[in-house]
Amino acid sequence: MKNIESSRGALPAQHLSVLAENRFIIGLKKDNIKPASIDLSISGEIYEVKNSFQVPENKTVWETINEVGYIKHSIDKPIRVNRTYVAKLNESLDLPQNVYGYANPKSTSGRLDLHVRLLADCISPYDSIYRKGWKGDLWVLIKPKSFNIKLYPNISLNQLRLCYSDTRIGGFELESLMQSPGVLFDPNTNNRIGLKEMQAKDNQRSVILTIDAISTDIPLGYVANNDKDLVIDIKSTYKTEDFFKTVESKNNMIILQVGKFYILSSYEHVVVPVGYASEMASIDDRFGEFRSHYAGFIDPGWGVGEDGKGFGRPLTLEVRAFESMVVRHRQPIARLKYEHLAEIPNIHYDSIPSNYTRQIKAKLAKQFI
């Protein structure tokens, strides 16, 4: 435990393995340890509730479920669009006194428009284990928004990263990282995009992503079919055209219709150096009334390539507009926050198999061919 106790930053795979071996993480399968996060897995215990809820600071998730009321749901049946469910996770935590955590939906959950939020005993904020040394059970709040979804026990819908001390970077350190080795690259030239070349800037210790709105032979993006009777079995594959329509731009502009769910792409190609992790975050609402992502965590090594000399890949955006709006090519759409790792991980994203390592434009979930 010496490295965990003396390091600053998000914990890499080898530290997460030590926590699991010492039962600080209980019920975790080895295959669910990723470069700087763990995949949490659902059990077969799932309930339908009438409304979303947050957990009071003095109650467990199970006590709260009983207060709001529930109906037991058979996992053999699909979960339905715009209904709310709570599933118990196989994993629980008994963290060291200096470790805390945050969760994000997995990429596939976000691209299926499946809203997923971590719930923890006696913790009110979603997706947070903000108390160091926390102990308790974990649950997940699930709400499908576009498609009915057939789930299975032991699948992963969200991921948890654990941290020691403040992981965030900003200011001069972020500017230096953008210059060398670089985190944003122009796809047309492979040139680094530094702080001075960004399309917009903020004061939130983050870098700005813009939207790709130029049509090519490769689909620019996708918009979900509005047929609420469609069912996706999360272990099956489907034809894209049965569930999505392609998005086209006109005069380098995309029209987003209110309430519809879009899969789009960043213009910039993104690298997450192996000593760092990153999280996509919402941009200031002065740029427009929309949501730009529903997943958001990017493991170390994204875009570095197998030889460490990559020029990044675009990030897929899960977009929902709250008013009908036009977005233009290179319009600011999201921001990225970078954070330290406590140690270089013994594996990184581009060194392991993934459905998303070859994306060059907007990429649908792995269920679509």
Side-chain angles (χ1 to χ4, degrees):
M1 299 299 295
K2 182 178 180 181
N3 287 339
I4 294 174
E5 293 171 356
S6 61
S7 302
R8 171 199 172 202
L11 302 184
Q14 61 270 29
H15 288 200
L16 297 169
S17 294
V18 171
L19 290 180
E21 290 166 4
N22 287 274
R23 294 190 60 78
F24 292 103
I25 308 171
I26 301 160
L28 179 65
K29 293 182 178 180
K30 185 177 181 180
D31 289 346
N32 282 359
I33 299 174
K34 304 305 178 185
S37 62
I38 58 174
D39 284 352
L40 300 172
S41 59
I42 65 170
S43 69
E45 185 178 348
I46 185 168
Y47 305 94
E48 182 178 348
V49 294
K50 287 186 177 181
N51 303 290
S52 298
F53 61 87
Q54 290 181 299
V55 180
E57 297 282 324
N58 62 346
K59 293 184 182 295
T60 66
V61 177
W62 179 241
E63 288 170 338
T64 310
I65 292 171
N66 277 272
E67 280 189 346
V68 301
Y70 66 87
I71 300 172
K72 189 169 179 59
H73 178 80
S74 172
I75 201 165
D76 294 330
K77 297 179 180 179
I79 56 175
R80 311 297 298 185
V81 169
N82 290 330
R83 296 186 185 180
T84 305
Y85 303 85
V86 186
K88 191 171 186 179
L89 296 177
N90 292 316
E91 299 79 16
S92 59
L93 301 177
D94 186 0
L95 294 178
Q97 290 303 309
N98 56 355
V99 175
Y100 63 97
Y102 292 101
N104 298 86
K106 287 182 65 64
S107 294
T108 296
S109 299
R111 297 176 205 215
L112 292 177
D113 202 14
L114 185 61
H115 293 203
V116 179
R117 291 166 167 165
L118 182 72
L119 300 176
D121 290 345
C122 303
I123 291 185
S124 291
Y126 297 127
D127 296 327
S128 174
I129 309 292
Y130 69 87
R131 290 200 197 106
K132 294 180 180 180
W134 180 87
K135 177 181 180 179
D137 291 329
L138 299 173
W139 298 70
V140 64
L141 192 71
I142 310 168
K143 190 167 188 175
K145 298 292 289 183
S146 288
F147 309 111
N148 306 304
I149 306 289
K150 173 67 172 67
L151 301 175
Y152 294 87
N154 302 317
I155 64 160
S156 296
L157 301 177
N158 63 340
Q159 57 195 141
L160 177 71
R161 64 190 192 276
L162 298 174
C163 310
Y164 172 74
S165 189
D166 189 350
T167 65
R168 298 169 296 177
I169 69 169
F172 178 76
E173 186 176 6
L174 178 60
E175 185 174 354
S176 297
L177 186 65
M178 294 182 71
Q179 293 299 330
S180 179
V183 298
L184 297 183
F185 290 82
D186 188 305
N188 295 315
T189 63
N190 287 339
N191 289 335
R192 293 183 187 91
I193 299 173
L195 195 63
K196 294 180 181 179
E197 292 79 37
M198 280 199 308
Q199 291 293 103
K201 298 174 180 63
D202 67 11
N203 296 315
Q204 302 186 64
R205 302 202 293 184
S206 56
V207 299
I208 301 297
L209 293 178
T210 65
I211 196 163
D212 183 358
I214 295 181
S215 293
T216 65
D217 293 339
I218 302 170
L220 179 66
Y222 305 89
V223 57
N225 191 321
N226 283 334
D227 185 350
K228 302 301 184 185
D229 291 327
L230 291 172
V231 177
I232 294 175
D233 183 316
I234 210 158
K235 290 187 175 181
S236 298
T237 56
Y238 300 91
K239 293 181 179 178
T240 296
E241 57 268 27
D242 292 337
F243 292 82
F244 289 90
K245 297 177 181 178
T246 56
V247 170
E248 297 180 356
S249 68
K250 185 176 181 180
N251 298 324
N252 298 338
M253 297 183 294
I254 301 171
I255 298 175
L256 302 180
Q257 297 183 27
V258 64
K260 289 195 172 184
F261 178 68
Y262 294 85
I263 299 290
L264 301 172
S265 176
S266 70
Y267 170 78
E268 296 81 5
H269 284 197
V270 172
V271 167
V272 181
V274 293
Y276 297 83
S278 186
E279 182 182 26
M280 193 182 298
S282 299
I283 203 164
D284 193 303
D285 59 13
R286 286 175 292 187
F287 286 102
E289 294 289 339
F290 58 87
R291 180 78 178 262
S292 60
H293 73 286
Y294 286 94
F297 180 67
I298 307 112
D299 267 302
W302 169 271
V304 302
E306 293 183 11
D307 60 359
K309 300 179 181 180
F311 295 99
R313 290 186 296 276
L315 292 179
T316 292
L317 307 164
E318 303 113 6
V319 179
R320 178 172 275 106
F322 302 121
E323 58 183 359
S324 294
M325 60 186 293
V326 171
V327 291
R328 301 172 183 271
H329 183 63
R330 300 297 310 273
Q331 180 173 323
I333 191 75
R335 58 193 180 94
L336 285 179
K337 300 183 294 182
Y338 280 80
E339 59 188 30
H340 288 281
L341 294 186
E343 186 176 273
I344 298 293
N346 56 8
I347 55 173
H348 65 78
Y349 192 94
D350 280 14
S351 69
I352 57 178
S354 171
N355 185 59
Y356 306 119
T357 53
R358 299 186 183 279
Q359 66 185 48
I360 55 176
K361 287 280 188 179
K363 178 73 171 176
L364 291 172
K366 59 188 177 183
Q367 287 77 15
F368 295 97
I369 55 176

